[in-house]
Amino acid sequence: MTTKLDKSFYLQEDVVRLARLLIGKRLVSRVDGHYCSGLISETEAYAGAEDRASHAFGNRRTARTEIMFREGGHAYIYLCYGIHHLFNVVSNSEGIPHAILIRGMIQEQGIPVMQERRKFPKDPARLCAGPGTLSQAMGFRNTQSGISLLGETVWIEESGIRPGKDSLSVGPRIGVDYAGEDALLPYRFLWNGERD
DNA sequence: CGAATGATATACT
DNA sequence: GTATATCATTCGA
């Protein structure tokens, strides 16, 4: 089963639940004519206005965060540390800046292209080792921020694969120490790859 | 452990 | 308009 997720999926209101639902789904990119895909294995929820870790905390609207205020089903891609392009899924209705950071993926198709984009890392395990490398492997760039997830460049499919019981772990998000108490929220989901 | 590296937000002139 | 601090990270010493 490889049905592309439709708009109603992204319009759901519970961003934390959505982050969990994205685990095991298939992320697909068709950038520069290259087809790449993988199963999402790690996500983090960013709960918009009420989340100190979010760029849109306090409903802060800027040219960059404007993307997150759109209705669900768009990609929010921004440059982090001047080096890495991080890929996020925008969710909820227009005006509510929820987003889910995709941090990890189990590669399926297009691995040679990913290796080339990543300049052939010495350690093959580092092909998609984090949110920055995953984006680089998939061909995501911050200039694509705002692109629709219902189009033909990047989308997410139902894979038909169900993470096994006890294969999911939950914990605090990575690299958000600046967010105070909100840095402790259990908004990170990690899948060890086991299936039902 | 710390440098790399540049867009972004904010605080100035 | 200009200056500066900061950052949802990665890689190599």
Side-chain angles (χ1 to χ4, degrees), chain A residues 105-138:
Chain A
M105 180 179 93
I106 299 168
Q107 312 131 25
E108 288 185 328
Q109 296 191 57
I111 293 177
V113 178
M114 296 196 226
Q115 286 173 328
E116 191 178 333
R117 288 202 183 109
R118 294 272 297 118
K119 303 283 161 56
F120 300 95
K122 267 191 170 182
D123 180 357
R126 282 188 157 162
L127 184 59
C128 285
T133 57
L134 178 149
S135 291
Q136 186 181 19
M138 291 291 273

Side-chain angles (χ1 to χ4, degrees), chain A residues 29-45:
Chain A
S29 77
R30 195 181 279 152
V31 176
D32 299 330
H34 300 296
Y35 182 96
C36 296
S37 70
L39 300 176
I40 296 170
S41 62
E42 186 178 354
T43 59
E44 283 180 2

Side-chain angles (χ1 to χ4, degrees), chain A residues 32-80:
Chain A
D32 299 330
H34 300 296
Y35 182 96
C36 296
S37 70
L39 300 176
I40 296 170
S41 62
E42 186 178 354
T43 59
E44 283 180 2
Y46 285 84
E50 296 164 19
D51 182 356
R52 288 202 75 85
S54 170
H55 293 157
F57 173 66
N59 278 320
R60 183 172 61 174
R61 278 176 181 266
T62 67
R64 179 175 66 156
T65 65
E66 193 61 32
I67 304 297
M68 283 196 280
F69 288 86
R70 295 205 202 160
E71 71 176 356
H74 295 268
Y76 171 55
I77 307 173
Y78 73 96
L79 190 64
C80 181

Side-chain angles (χ1 to χ4, degrees), chain A residues 5 9-10 17-29 36-45 87-90 100-109 114 128 130-131 134 138 140 149 154-164 167-169 188-195:
Chain A
L5 299 180
F9 179 85
Y10 300 105
R17 174 169 174 270
L18 209 47
R20 175 162 24 87
L21 289 178
L22 280 175
I23 298 286
K25 299 281 191 286
R26 177 175 294 110
L27 177 63
V28 184
S29 77
C36 296
S37 70
L39 300 176
I40 296 170
S41 62
E42 186 178 354
T43 59
E44 283 180 2
F87 174 81
N88 301 254
V89 173
V90 174
I100 298 154
L101 172 66
I102 307 299
R103 293 187 58 92
M105 180 179 93
I106 299 168
Q107 312 131 25
E108 288 185 328
Q109 296 191 57
M114 296 196 226
C128 285
L134 178 149
M138 291 291 273
F140 300 146
L149 298 176
V154 50
W155 66 90
I156 300 174
E157 298 173 349
E158 178 55 61
S159 63
I161 293 165
R162 296 254 167 251
S167 68
L168 277 183
S169 42
R188 173 172 179 247
F189 297 90
L190 181 63
W191 180 37
N192 67 11
E194 288 173 15
R195 307 171 183 193

